Amino acid sequence: MTTLAHKRLAGTGFGLAVGVAALFVLVPMVALVTRISPLTAVEELARPESIDALMISLGAVTCALLLIVAFGTPVAFLLARGQPGPLLSSLEVLFDLPLVLPPAVAGIALLAAFGDGGPVGNALAPFGVQVPFTRLAVVLALTFVAAPLYIRQAQSAFAACERDVLEASRTTGAGPVRRFLQIELPLAKRGLLGGLALSGARALGEFGATIMFAGSVAGVTQTLTLAIYGSLYTSADAAFALAILLLVLTVAISVLARLYGARAGWEAR
Amino acid sequence: MTTAIQLRLERPEFNVEVALRLEGAVALVGRSGSGKSSIIRALAGLEPAARGSIPRLEVGYLGQRDGLFPHMTALDNVAFPLKATGVRKRHACASARESLAALGLSAAVDRRPGELSGGQRRRVALARALAPGRELYLLDEPFAGLDLDSATLAEKFIAERISGSDAPCLIAGHDVPRLRRICSSILRVERGRIAPTAHAINGSTEPLRVRAPVRALQSSGDMPWDCREGSR
């Protein structure tokens, strides 16, 4: 076979693979959106149960992202700048763990810690605080599962800061706080926002850990994904409407993240 | 102001061992890789492995690479060390504007490093390093990559800043004629040490430092660790 024919064949093969892959992603989305009429979707979403689920999801995701930024940013910074060694590697593995852990395992592990008889559960019991199957449990489940995505992105964003720039900043007389706020944070901003968007999308779609640790009580802990599952066999239209809503939210997050990232980047002025 | 320095830094090929008293402007010359940058970086606090008596001073440092803050304008880059040490924003910006103008960069104040040429970036970095009010200035090859006119501007700027301050200044470089005009003494670095004489620089056998206010202590005898390295 000639090289040209080879190349053509390879080109066709590649094109075919990409085409199939694109269809595989696209067809289910289109099928979902066209499954029910827009009117039905609006009607279903206007029902109080749907609005409850949306509010619970948005509230929990917002709280989870606040926790993730507050605790994840220092973690990512440490992982990026710390002295390389066994300690740092262990920390890296530790903070990556929830990413590979099956969500159901994460949920039941949280239950084991915060539930009756668990170390945290026991410590909180005298104060009358009960975490499992509350909204706080939803927030904790989302945080646990979604944080690694932010930490990873933030870590590589901090690590991407050039050595010369860091060295120059250390010789300006600026203290660590000023250096962090005025140099390292702005330079990593794009990566941080990207990580936040990924984390938010992951939290919005969380299912397994939440249902284990927080249950699926309508109006209390039932998030959008749990409501989809909950109504699939009782009112399929509601399930489709909620799924469409979730799809739109997720697409919006990723588009916004891209647009903002591209515009806010100092390199693309 | 006089600053005494002793430093030792282990490196794969040879160790850097220097003892010198800094006063006024001192030039370091010598081949690439002879240890000039290591000395400057150690004094800037950028070599954690460096040992000896290295005073912790507020430095103005120009590295071999510019290290400009890519998200800030030239003006903000130059004003940053001033603001960081408590100078009011308005004064810091006025001072930065003045420095940039002196280096022929008036038109570039509001541009970011990505929009500047290599020579312009070098001059912005020089202006940032020579922020007024520092206790020690460390310039690593300030003329590298500059065209003749820019280098002359840079030379004048460095000379003015140094004479207007009593902080010592250490400049590594290769452009001996320029360095001789700026500096009161020229030291030659060879394999991590200050060479005993500077004859290779001015082409005569007369050591330059004899008429210089700076005294380079001979390595031998002055430094406790000499026994280990002395036989080389």
Side-chain angles (χ1 to χ4, degrees), chain A residues 48-221:
Chain A
E49 304 91 272
S50 307
I51 291 174
D52 276 353
L54 175 65
M55 286 308 157
I56 290 167
S57 262
L58 291 183
V61 169
T62 308
C63 293
L65 288 184
L66 288 175
L67 284 175
I68 288 171
V69 170
F71 289 91
T73 310
V75 168
F77 192 71
L78 178 81
L79 291 179
R81 295 270 191 281
Q83 193 84 42
L87 182 67
L88 204 67
S89 305
S90 322
L91 278 177
E92 218 173 276
V93 171
L94 177 72
F95 287 115
D96 247 8
L97 200 60
L99 202 61
V100 287
L101 206 64
V105 176
I108 210 154
L110 285 169
L111 198 57
F114 288 88
D116 283 342
V120 188
N122 280 349
L124 292 176
F127 306 100
V129 180
Q130 213 206 338
V131 178
F133 309 109
T134 61
R135 283 193 184 162
L136 179 58
V138 180
V139 172
L140 293 181
L142 301 191
T143 306
F144 191 86
V145 170
L149 288 165
Y150 174 76
I151 292 175
R152 268 195 176 186
Q153 286 264 327
Q155 181 189 350
S156 52
F158 284 129
C161 190
E162 279 184 58
R163 206 185 72 152
D164 311 304
V165 172
L166 291 182
E167 287 188 345
S169 77
R170 280 199 275 146
T171 57
T172 54
V177 175
R178 180 186 285 264
R179 291 204 307 264
F180 181 74
L181 292 179
Q182 298 194 0
I183 291 168
E184 318 206 35
L185 205 56
L187 287 179
K189 188 170 71 179
R190 243 180 124 163
L192 299 187
L193 287 173
L196 203 60
L198 273 180
S199 240
R202 175 69 184 87
L204 203 55
E206 217 301 313
F207 183 85
T210 317
I211 203 162
M212 288 280 172
F213 185 41
S216 179
V217 185
V220 183
T221 64

Side-chain angles (χ1 to χ4, degrees), chain B residues 3-25:
Chain B
T3 309
I5 290 156
Q6 261 193 11
L7 78 91
R8 173 183 164 86
L9 180 62
E10 299 200 0
R11 298 204 326 182
E13 272 182 71
F14 53 82
N15 297 341
V16 174
E17 282 179 37
V18 179
L20 43 84
R21 195 156 290 149
L22 280 184
E23 209 174 1

Side-chain angles (χ1 to χ4, degrees), chain B:
Chain B
M1 201 169 84
T2 312
T3 309
I5 290 156
Q6 261 193 11
L7 78 91
R8 173 183 164 86
L9 180 62
E10 299 200 0
R11 298 204 326 182
E13 272 182 71
F14 53 82
N15 297 341
V16 174
E17 282 179 37
V18 179
L20 43 84
R21 195 156 290 149
L22 280 184
E23 209 174 1
V26 180
L28 292 178
V29 300
R31 289 200 193 141
S32 301
S34 58
K36 305 189 297 291
S37 290
S38 294
I39 295 170
I40 285 195
R41 287 175 51 82
L43 293 182
L46 296 174
E47 296 286 353
R51 297 286 171 268
S53 88
I54 304 165
R56 295 184 65 88
L57 300 171
E58 197 82 88
V59 299
Y61 167 74
L62 172 71
Q64 225 161 27
R65 295 181 58 186
D66 307 328
L68 291 175
F69 309 135
H71 60 301
M72 293 185 192
T73 62
L75 188 74
D76 289 336
N77 262 283
V78 180
F80 186 84
L82 292 168
K83 287 191 241 171
T85 45
V87 178
R88 287 277 171 81
K89 194 181 169 190
R90 207 152 51 89
H91 288 114
C93 286
S95 162
R97 210 174 278 279
E98 206 177 288
S99 301
L100 288 169
L103 286 164
L105 291 167
S106 289
V109 283
D110 292 325
R111 301 221 190 112
R112 293 177 199 209
E115 302 164 307
L116 300 175
S117 73
Q120 288 174 320
R121 282 202 295 273
R122 196 73 191 141
R123 281 176 283 159
V124 174
L126 178 66
R128 183 178 64 182
L130 286 171
R134 302 278 142 162
E135 295 166 314
L136 170 65
Y137 292 102
L138 300 163
L139 309 177
D140 200 347
E141 304 203 14
F143 307 116
L146 295 186
D147 61 61
L148 270 180
D149 292 346
S150 307
T152 303
L153 285 177
E155 180 192 324
K156 270 175 64 184
F157 182 69
I158 297 170
E160 271 166 29
R161 272 292 148 85
I162 293 173
S163 62
S165 143
D166 60 352
C169 177
L170 196 58
I171 309 176
H174 300 284
D175 193 337
V176 175
R178 284 192 199 285
L179 293 174
R180 291 190 66 174
R181 286 198 289 271
I182 299 173
C183 298
S184 48
S185 73
I186 296 187
L187 303 177
R188 183 171 182 84
V189 182
E190 275 170 13
R191 290 184 67 82
R193 289 152 185 259
I194 307 286
T197 60
H199 56 81
I201 294 149
N202 56 3
S204 80
T205 50
E206 182 199 14
L208 260 173
R209 61 187 176 80
V210 166
R211 57 185 171 82
V214 173
R215 191 162 61 89
L217 306 173
Q218 293 298 308
S219 256
S220 51
D222 287 335
M223 306 183 75
W225 49 70
D226 234 333
C227 44
R228 262 211 273 169
E229 282 281 309
S231 56
R232 278 228 212 158

